[in-house]
Amino acid sequence: MSKDLTYFFKPCLIGFLILIMVGAVGGSLVFGSVKIPISQMFFIFGKALGFEIAGDIARRDEVILLGIRLPRTILCVLVGGGLAISGAALQGLFRNPLADPSLIGVSSGAALAAVSIIVLGVNELAFLPDELNYLILPLGAFTGGLAATFCVYTISSYHGKTSISTMLLTGIAINALASAGLGFLIFSSDDQQLRDLNFWLLGSLAGVTWYKVMAIAPIVIGASVFLVFLGRHLNALLLGEREAFHIGFYVEKTKILVIVLVALVTGACVALTGIIGFIGLVVPHLIRLIFGANNKLVLPCSIILGACLLTIADIISRHIVWPAELPIGILTSCVGGPFFLWLIMRQKRNQV
């Protein structure tokens, strides 16, 4: 394909991804146990923005749209985009498409720390102002995710090279340790805490409020923006750490920054939704199939596609077992598991 066609083709694809995301967000707002007409949705948003609305607006539809569906949809966008860019950044750092926050134990470490805070009853501290207590859970999840990421990177890297087999084995070990810790917490928890733990184990977007969304939005958006600007640095790492250093990049600072930012995003997402697997694996790989290995495109496009896929998955999870709601972590694992197996077989064929 010529360069002129390439320059035309990629912006069209990006625009198409944005259109799909807009459609998914609209579908998430309209469809549910109570269907809200599109015209009614615009009337409600117009009224919320202060415009004079001539038509009648049902109070029930207004409460459902603004109080339930809109914060949940925004959470889908934040979590889907955050997990996707975290996976893309880890894959760029490890220089392997099999890296993923859930596979290598980052999500499990974050979940274990968050659940420990809940079960031990330290999610509210008397010496902190009430307006700061909401930060305890995201910060705890961030600490757990950071510890898991640091362990994986330290164990799987040697002399500037990362062993993918060691990385995956380390992730398995961390997931096993986290599962043991979660099992102990399940054993020692009461009935109410046990119901809360199921939320973390299966992944769910239920029960979201504006308060919770606003708690993680600055963290996820800020860290994701920083990761996008690290695209050039991750491109340099594709050449190798020594080569990246010789052309003027601060390799160690880049690695530490990526690890901290990924742990921050993953921890914030896990703190509200529990473990949602495979978004960080599937999305960056699909983006690389479309746009190539340029991380300056892979990182921002992963945000768009990740937000789109998780929003669509949420719509499906709300309807597939209606009137109940299927935990979204089950749905993403059902799709991501076969995709991961296909990816391993593809890697195996390329090595033959």
Side-chain angles (χ1 to χ4, degrees):
M1 184 180 294
S2 67
K3 287 186 176 181
D4 291 338
L5 286 176
T6 300
Y7 290 143
F8 174 77
F9 187 59
K10 288 183 178 179
C12 289
L13 284 176
I14 294 173
F16 182 66
L17 286 178
I18 294 173
L19 285 177
I20 294 177
M21 188 183 73
V22 171
V25 168
S28 178
L29 295 174
V30 170
F31 296 111
S33 56
V34 176
K35 185 176 179 181
I36 300 176
I38 296 177
S39 58
Q40 183 83 336
M41 180 182 70
F42 284 116
F43 286 155
I44 293 172
F45 284 145
K47 179 182 176 182
L49 293 173
F51 294 103
E52 293 290 337
I53 303 299
D56 293 331
I57 297 176
R59 177 60 181 167
R60 181 198 64 176
D61 292 348
E62 187 175 1
V63 171
I64 290 173
L65 183 62
L66 298 180
I68 300 175
R69 290 187 189 168
L70 185 57
R72 179 167 179 149
T73 302
I74 293 175
L75 184 65
C76 282
V77 172
L78 289 173
V79 173
L83 292 178
I85 195 174
S86 296
L90 284 178
Q91 290 170 15
L93 179 65
F94 287 109
R95 298 186 291 280
N96 195 284
L98 298 181
D100 169 71
S102 61
L103 288 175
I104 63 175
V106 183
S107 297
S108 297
L112 178 61
V115 171
S116 299
I117 289 173
I118 293 174
V119 174
L120 296 176
V122 294
N123 51 323
E124 290 187 2
L125 299 177
F127 61 84
L128 282 179
D130 291 340
E131 58 269 18
L132 293 180
N133 273 320
Y134 75 92
L135 292 174
I136 296 174
L137 199 59
L139 287 176
F142 159 68
T143 303
L146 179 62
T149 310
F150 181 78
C151 287
V152 169
Y153 183 79
T154 301
I155 295 173
S156 62
S157 298
Y158 182 73
H159 285 248
K161 295 182 179 180
T162 301
S163 170
I164 184 60
S165 58
T166 305
M167 180 190 71
L168 292 176
L169 290 173
T170 305
I172 291 172
I174 291 176
N175 282 325
L177 289 172
S179 296
L182 289 170
F184 175 76
L185 292 171
I186 290 172
F187 176 77
S188 58
S189 61
D190 56 33
D191 290 341
Q192 179 59 47
Q193 291 172 341
L194 191 60
R195 285 192 290 270
D196 293 337
L197 286 181
N198 283 328
F199 162 83
W200 296 98
L201 293 173
L202 300 176
S204 175
L205 294 162
V208 63
T209 62
W210 279 112
Y211 188 74
K212 293 179 179 179
V213 170
M214 297 309 296
I216 73 161
I219 300 173
V220 175
I221 294 173
S224 298
V225 170
F226 272 109
L227 284 173
V228 168
F229 283 108
L230 291 175
R232 289 178 61 250
H233 298 74
L234 293 176
N235 282 343
L237 286 176
L238 293 175
L239 303 173
E241 293 187 9
R242 183 176 299 176
E243 290 78 4
F245 177 77
H246 285 309
I247 61 178
F249 288 92
Y250 295 99
V251 175
E252 289 303 318
K253 289 183 179 179
T254 299
K255 291 191 291 186
I256 293 172
L257 190 56
V258 169
I259 288 173
V260 170
L261 290 173
V262 166
L264 191 60
V265 173
T266 305
C269 293
V270 169
L272 283 194
T273 65
I275 300 175
I276 298 177
F278 293 105
I279 292 292
L281 172 72
V282 173
V283 172
H285 190 74
L286 292 176
I287 291 296
R288 286 190 177 93
L289 290 176
I290 299 171
F291 295 102
N294 184 359
N295 284 294
K296 290 192 292 185
L297 276 177
V298 170
L299 293 172
C301 290
S302 292
I303 294 176
I304 300 171
L305 185 58
C308 175
L309 290 185
L310 192 64
T311 304
I312 293 173
D314 181 52
I315 296 172
I316 296 172
S317 70
R318 280 188 275 157
H319 290 84
I320 193 170
V321 291
W322 190 87
E325 180 179 317
L326 183 71
I328 198 167
I330 296 176
L331 187 61
T332 57
S333 296
C334 287
V335 176
F339 184 88
F340 182 57
L341 293 175
W342 171 81
L343 188 57
I344 292 175
M345 295 301 295
R346 186 171 179 267
Q347 292 263 103
K348 182 179 178 181
R349 287 196 300 269
N350 291 337
Q351 292 173 358
V352 175

